[in-house]
Structure formats: C-alpha cells, structure tokens
C-alpha cells in the first residue's frame, strides 16, 4: 500500500532578540504569537513540517517546548530535528563592507546571536540522522560558478571575507525520514532576502547561488543524490515574477523535470489585480508597508515520481482564523498532500 504524506513548510518568525528568550516565551504559555504559531501548525496536521525563523539551542529545548505546545492542541510530533545554523555565527571580520565588525550582518548568516532564526523539522516519522547530508559549511567560493560580489574588480567586501564566507545564510540540509515503506528525503533551506545591500548586490547574488545549489546537487556535483521519493521545500525569499532578486535559478527549479510545482493556493477566491504580474492566490507572505506587500516566496516542490493529491496555503479569507495566522507570522503555512507509489 502506498504511503500518503502531508508535507508543510512554515516561516514562523519566532526569532527573539536574545538567546533563551524564545524558550521563556513558549514556557510562559501566554505569548500570543507562540500560541498562534502552535495553532496554525496543529491545524495543518502535516506529517512532516519544516520550520524557519525559530531560534536554535544545542539541546533543542525551545523546539521541544514548541512541540509540546502543539501536542496540547491534539497533534503529536514524536521526532524533531535541528542543527546549528549559520545565523549569528561569528566571523571576526567585516562581512558587509561597512567598516565595522561584530554586527549581526558580520556573521556567517545575519543574526544577533548564534542560532537566531534557525531551521527545524517536526515529524511523525523518525529521522535518520546518521545519513544526513549537511551542506551548511560549504564555502560560497567553492560552489561551482559562484556569483561572488565585487566592486571595481576587487572581491567584496574583501578577499579575506570571501575566503571564509559560507554559502548558506541559514542552512542547506538533506534529511532522510524513515517512512513505513522506506526513506523519504527532505531537501530544505532558507535563502537570504535579495535586498538590504548595495550596488555589489551581495544578498541578491547569495540568494541566487543558495537556490542554484539545488540543481547542482541534483546533478550530482556534491555526491550521491536521491532520484525519487524526495521533496525540496523551504523559504526561498524570492517571487518568480515580482520584486527584486535574480530569478533564473528559481525559474529553473520550477521547470526542472525532476520536480513538480503543485502551485499551492489560498482557499479564498481572489479577484485578479491588474497592478501585479503574479496570481495573488499563490501568495505565501504579506509584508505590510513599507514592505513590498504579498508575494509567493515559500515553496514545496515534490519529486516527479510522487502523486500530487492536493495543496494549499493556510490563508483564511476572514474571521478568527485569519486573525490567528496574522498573529503567528507575516508568512503563511504551505502544505502539499502526496502519495508515494
């Protein structure tokens, strides 16, 4: 009998300003955002969900506490996974070219402290950590064809910085999850936003290469890869047709014959917006003013061998459920239902 699986990805925006504060807020039991995030995750009832924007600690105390909060709403995740992300990891160098060191933008990935805004996985099924592939330590300069930033022909911000700069702003993981019928691989990452930089386009180039990594990976550039029973999912921080950023790697993923784009949609019926190039029903985030507004930036791309049954974006039209998702995050949970033949 084929496995049926619901996959989800959710940028929770649970980052806090200092280490331990997220654990404090979860354990307190009355933080409105934490309660809303737990409710959104519980309502989705995904079998495997990848979370972004959740602070990492070595013993996974905050993640365990969030898992327990979700369990109180009737959905249990006996298996959890997270590794130290690049966010907040000190470098000792000026990584953004502003002449200072020690700022959040001078870390391997933007962060006020090590682990701020990391990634995590909650799963109904066990994770095979022994066969994990963690590419978070890959140097940007070691990526074939790396689109490294420069100013007037010189490495930006410096040759020393480029020599230690990792590709991943958060992480790149390939995580095997053991289903009753065998392993299923989660390919996941959280790319930097392609903005908040200067004419060197450091963030735009990094976002480009963080996404381009996955086609190189699927081509075998970094060793053996799964050829079936996998899904690529996460916060790509890029729209295929709107806003800033270098679109080519994302468009290549969306059209890659090894992947399928389920095009998850909001359940509400939306009128076309003539001022936009994109279909608003595909939006997964709403950045309020002065932000760019609604965009599609969160994705789940199952491998081509999987049978797509349904997909959606948790974005109610109105009422209490809408208030809940808006309290949880500017991003919306995205889910896809698949059958494994």
């Amino acid at each position: 009998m084929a496995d049926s699986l619901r996959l989800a990805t959710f940028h929770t925006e649970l980052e806090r300003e200092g280490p331990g504060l997220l654990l404090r807020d979860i354990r307190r039991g009355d933080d409105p955002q934490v309660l809303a995030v737990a409710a959104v995750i519980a309502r989705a009832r995904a079998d495997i969900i990848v979370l972004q924007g959740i602070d990492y600690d070595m013993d996974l105390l905050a993640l365990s506490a969030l898992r327990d909060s979700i369990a109180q709403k009737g959905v249990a995740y006996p298996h959890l996974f997270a590794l130290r992300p690049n966010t907040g990891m000190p470098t000792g160098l000026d990584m953004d070219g502003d002449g200072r060191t020690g700022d959040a933008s001078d870390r391997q990935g933007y962060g006020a402290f090590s682990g701020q805004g990391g990634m995590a996985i909650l799963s109904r099924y066990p994770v095979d950590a022994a066969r994990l592939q963690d590419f978070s330590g890959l140097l940007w300069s070691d990526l074939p064809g790396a689109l490294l930033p420069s100013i007037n022909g010189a490495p930006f911000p410096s040759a020393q910085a480029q020599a230690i700069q990792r590709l991943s702003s958060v992480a790149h993981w390939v995580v095997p999850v053991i289903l009753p019928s065998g392993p299923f691989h989660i390919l996941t990452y959280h790319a930097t936003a392609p903005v908040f930089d200067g004419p060197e386009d450091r963030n735009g180039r990094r976002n480009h290469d963080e996404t381009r990594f996955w086609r190189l990976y699927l081509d075998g550039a970094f060793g053996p890869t799964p050829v079936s029973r996998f899904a690529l999912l996460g916060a790509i921080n890029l729209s295929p047709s709107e806003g800033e950023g270098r679109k080519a790697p994302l468009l290549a993923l969306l059209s890659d014959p090894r992947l399928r784009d389920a095009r998850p949609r909001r359940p509400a019926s939306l009128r076309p917006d003539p001022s936009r190039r994109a279909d608003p029903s595909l939006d997964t985030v709403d950045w309020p003013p002065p932000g760019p507004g609604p965009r599609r930036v969160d994705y789940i791309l199952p491998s081509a061998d999987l049978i797509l049954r349904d997909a959606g974006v948790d974005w109610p039209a109105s009422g209490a459920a809408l208030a809940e998702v808006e309290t949880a995050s500017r991003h919306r949970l995205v889910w896809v239902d698949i059958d494994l033949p």
Side-chain angles (χ1 to χ4, degrees), residues 52-137:
Q52 302 87 34
I54 180 168
D55 296 340
Y56 169 85
D57 61 82
M58 187 174 65
D59 295 318
L60 306 189
L61 297 177
L63 181 60
S64 298
L66 179 63
R67 185 261 308 272
D68 294 344
S69 180
I70 298 166
Q72 292 176 9
K73 300 182 182 299
V75 179
Y77 288 108
H79 306 283
L80 46 79
F81 175 83
L83 294 174
R84 182 186 181 187
N86 289 337
T87 50
M89 187 179 291
T91 65
L93 297 178
D94 174 14
M95 302 299 284
D96 64 350
D98 67 356
R100 300 191 300 270
T101 61
D103 295 337
S105 55
D106 296 317
R107 313 301 175 95
Q108 285 290 358
Y110 187 91
F113 61 90
S114 184
Q116 184 183 35
M119 302 193 321
I121 295 175
L122 299 175
S123 176
R124 291 180 51 218
Y125 301 101
V127 170
D128 187 357
R131 290 177 171 79
L132 163 81
Q133 293 176 288
D134 179 12
F135 296 100
S136 306

Side-chain angles (χ1 to χ4, degrees), residues 268-308:
S269 177
L270 296 172
R271 295 179 180 177
D273 184 347
S275 68
R276 295 184 59 190
R277 299 176 59 187
D279 180 350
S281 69
L282 297 173
D283 293 337
T284 67
V285 68
D286 188 4
W287 285 301
R295 292 285 189 273
R296 185 189 185 193
V297 299
D298 307 276
Y299 298 82
I300 302 177
L301 305 176
S303 57
D305 59 300
L306 303 175
I307 301 168
L308 295 175

